[in-house]
Amino acid sequence: MANTAMISPKPGYPAASPVSMNTMTGMTGVGSMMNSYSSMSTTGMPASAITSMSGMTHTGMTGMSTMPSMAGMGMNAGMGSMGMSSMGNMNTMGSINGMNSMGGAMNNPAAMSMRYAQAQAANSIDRIRADKTYRRSYTHAKPPYSYISLITMAIQQSPQKMVTLSDIYQFIMDLFPFYRQNQQRWQNSIRHSLSFNDCFVKVPRTPDRPGKGSFWTLHPDAGNMFENGCYLRRQKRFKCPKKEAQRQAQKAAGDDGQPHENGDPNIRDPATPVSHPTPTDSVASDAPLPNQNQQLEHPQQVPTPQHQQQGATLHKMENHQLSPPHSMSSYANPSRPIAYPAASAAMGMSGMTGMHPASMLGQHPSFAHSHPFSINSIISPEHKMDMKAYEALGYNPYNMGMQAQGARPTMDYNSPMGPGEVTYSQLTPAQTNHAM
DNA sequence: TGCTGTTTAGCTTTAC
DNA sequence: GTAAAGCTAAACAGCA
């Protein structure tokens, strides 16, 4: 392999020299890794970090032999059902599954306790750091999921399928340490994504549930945004037909010189009261919407988990009498057992909610499938064997519909948080362009 | 006052 | 090459 990647620095990051992948040829499966990574777009890491990859040896990233402390990190127990041979597969399956395996271990009475595992992990991390031969992994690199994906994950894992903005923030930060920094930057993007994308529907609070901000849920027809449940780049953006028609109409009117309010079809006359849509309007009527996003006037018509589960093809919101959720927000609900510590993520949401992930995520193909980048794979211990099956079948998960997003999340062995967090240790040069 | 939400703009990356 | 998807920044308004 003689790949040479030019790295164009992002503002704020130092320029990096071209990285010779030859220096990495000793890494297991690095050839296919780089092929997969070459087209990743949305993830990033500091160019300085990728530069240091050139200094890596065979043993750096994936050679488990260079991580003599793995057993001490509790990974043996975690990987019990996978077998240590699967550790080698961390390259190709991503440690998200490894993380789930950890969760499986935690749920296994025979496995060591969480506290013991954490102590062991901390101990091992120290040893790893002390090991001069160990090359650090690229911890806390940007996950390969788009913001839309992350928002969708947050909503989907919520028992009520409805979360507040702050809940989304918390979910993301708890699951991905990368997002514990530069919060202003990505949180702005989250807000933008919520407002801009038709797939997210705003649900006002009810008077009995005062608080800041509205709830956000998924448009009932937006269930199939992510093919095979793979939460990477969407093939096609979900557009609400009615809103899209409105946009087209506005655009057409603008193009043919028709007058608009304030001269701009996109600017609402501030003096004109907003015509708040009825719940039916918000999805099914042609009533104008106050903005790009749809807003449900009556929260009691919010899709319940059952409705979400029934998926895009089965239901439209206006066709059902929906029950008000018992808890408007899983995060805001003080009764929720765990407020998203990383450990809970490692244990899988089923452990947190008491629900099987499959039932949480519904039977829609988008969520029922166990793509390695599906939310199931991220948060569920139930699918830890999926990638082994993929590999046994010669299935290349990075060469399917979403092949361009072939990032490989790995266990963050070097994380001060412990090995239960999802990080991404292999990144393409292209990713460096998006480094934060 | 800070958070939430909307909107616009410019840019990069990817798919076709 | 082009369109679409996605990211980031920023301005602004409304609200708790």
Side-chain angles (χ1 to χ4, degrees):
Chain A
M1 191 167 73
N3 297 335
T4 298
M6 295 300 296
I7 297 176
S8 58
K10 221 182 168 191
Y13 291 94
S17 303
V19 176
S20 169
M21 298 305 179
N22 287 333
T23 60
M24 303 167 68
T25 53
M27 287 169 36
T28 306
V30 69
S32 59
M33 275 171 32
M34 290 309 161
N35 288 339
S36 298
Y37 273 76
S38 62
S39 51
M40 269 189 67
S41 66
T42 59
T43 60
M45 65 188 300
S48 56
I50 201 78
T51 303
S52 66
M53 290 176 72
S54 63
M56 283 176 20
T57 65
H58 314 17
T59 55
M61 299 264 254
T62 63
M64 302 308 287
S65 62
T66 61
M67 292 183 162
S69 320
M70 282 304 299
M73 294 172 70
M75 295 303 293
N76 272 348
M79 295 296 171
S81 60
M82 298 171 63
M84 282 307 290
S85 62
S86 298
M87 295 298 287
N89 294 340
M90 297 286 284
N91 286 337
T92 51
M93 68 183 288
S95 64
I96 278 174
N97 291 283
M99 178 184 76
N100 291 335
S101 298
M102 283 290 289
M106 301 313 168
N107 294 330
N108 183 353
M112 60 183 64
S113 68
M114 174 71 84
R115 183 180 299 275
Y116 179 70
Q118 288 175 337
Q120 289 290 310
N123 192 23
S124 298
I125 289 168
D126 288 341
R127 279 185 287 166
I128 288 170
R129 284 171 175 161
D131 182 354
K132 295 287 195 292
T133 65
Y134 175 74
R135 310 289 179 161
R136 72 179 183 90
S137 64
Y138 301 97
T139 59
H140 300 180
K142 190 174 185 178
Y145 306 101
S146 67
Y147 291 127
I148 294 170
S149 301
L150 295 173
I151 297 168
T152 303
M153 289 181 202
I155 295 172
Q156 281 295 330
Q157 62 72 44
S158 165
Q160 301 302 329
K161 310 299 180 198
M162 189 167 59
V163 294
T164 64
L165 181 63
S166 61
D167 293 339
I168 294 171
Y169 293 159
Q170 197 60 51
F171 172 85
I172 293 172
M173 285 190 289
D174 285 345
L175 198 57
F176 301 105
F178 173 85
Y179 290 110
R180 293 170 194 168
Q181 54 190 343
N182 296 315
Q183 294 182 18
Q184 188 175 6
R185 181 183 292 181
W186 65 264
Q187 287 179 352
N188 187 17
S189 295
I190 290 292
R191 292 194 300 271
H192 168 263
S193 294
L194 284 169
S195 292
F196 183 77
N197 291 281
D198 293 352
C199 57
F200 302 119
V201 182
K202 192 172 70 175
V203 182
R205 288 179 181 268
T206 52
D208 59 318
R209 292 184 179 276
K212 210 167 189 179
S214 302
F215 294 94
W216 292 91
T217 189
L218 286 169
H219 191 288
D221 287 348
N224 200 24
M225 285 190 300
F226 301 98
E227 297 289 335
N228 298 317
C230 174
Y231 278 68
L232 297 173
R233 189 186 178 96
R234 295 177 297 180
Q235 295 288 1
K236 188 161 182 63
R237 173 183 291 172
F238 169 79
K239 291 177 181 174
C240 176
K242 296 186 180 307
K243 294 187 63 59
E244 181 63 14
Q246 290 171 19
R247 278 190 289 262
Q248 293 300 327
Q250 283 186 331
K251 185 179 180 180
D255 290 343
D256 61 18
Q258 294 298 315
H260 301 284
E261 290 176 344
N262 297 336
D264 185 339
N266 294 321
I267 297 178
R268 186 175 66 241
D269 182 358
T272 303
V274 170
S275 174
H276 288 290
T278 65
T280 301
D281 290 338
S282 67
V283 175
S285 83
D286 291 323
L289 296 171
N291 49 55
Q292 270 197 327
N293 241 304
Q294 301 157 85
Q295 178 165 329
L296 302 182
E297 189 75 9
H298 305 298
Q300 64 270 24
Q301 299 228 352
V302 165
T304 64
Q306 296 95 311
H307 287 82
Q308 291 285 344
Q309 289 170 13
Q310 283 164 339
T313 60
L314 299 179
H315 281 76
K316 284 182 175 290
M317 203 179 297
E318 65 270 28
N319 292 334
H320 300 273
Q321 293 296 321
L322 304 179
S323 302
H326 300 300
S327 169
M328 296 292 279
S329 165
S330 64
Y331 299 85
N333 182 0
S335 66
R336 66 185 171 124
I338 301 175
Y340 270 108
S344 70
M347 295 173 69
M349 294 307 163
S350 60
M352 187 187 79
T353 63
M355 298 173 66
H356 190 286
S359 63
M360 289 173 60
L361 301 174
Q363 291 93 38
H364 191 282
S366 290
F367 307 115
H369 285 203
S370 297
H371 189 282
F373 284 95
S374 71
I375 190 171
N376 282 3
S377 295
I378 298 170
I379 62 178
S380 165
E382 309 295 333
H383 300 267
K384 57 193 174 190
M385 296 299 291
D386 287 352
M387 283 308 301
K388 282 198 75 177
Y390 281 126
E391 289 200 345
L393 294 171
Y395 173 75
N396 178 4
Y398 307 104
N399 193 28
M400 48 189 296
M402 293 308 215
Q403 61 180 346
Q405 306 300 322
R408 281 170 173 72
T410 66
M411 287 294 279
D412 185 3
Y413 305 111
N414 209 21
S415 168
M417 311 295 183
E421 307 215 355
V422 184
T423 61
Y424 300 82
S425 62
Q426 313 283 340
L427 297 163
T428 65
Q431 293 174 258
T432 65
N433 296 337
H434 257 284
M436 290 183 72

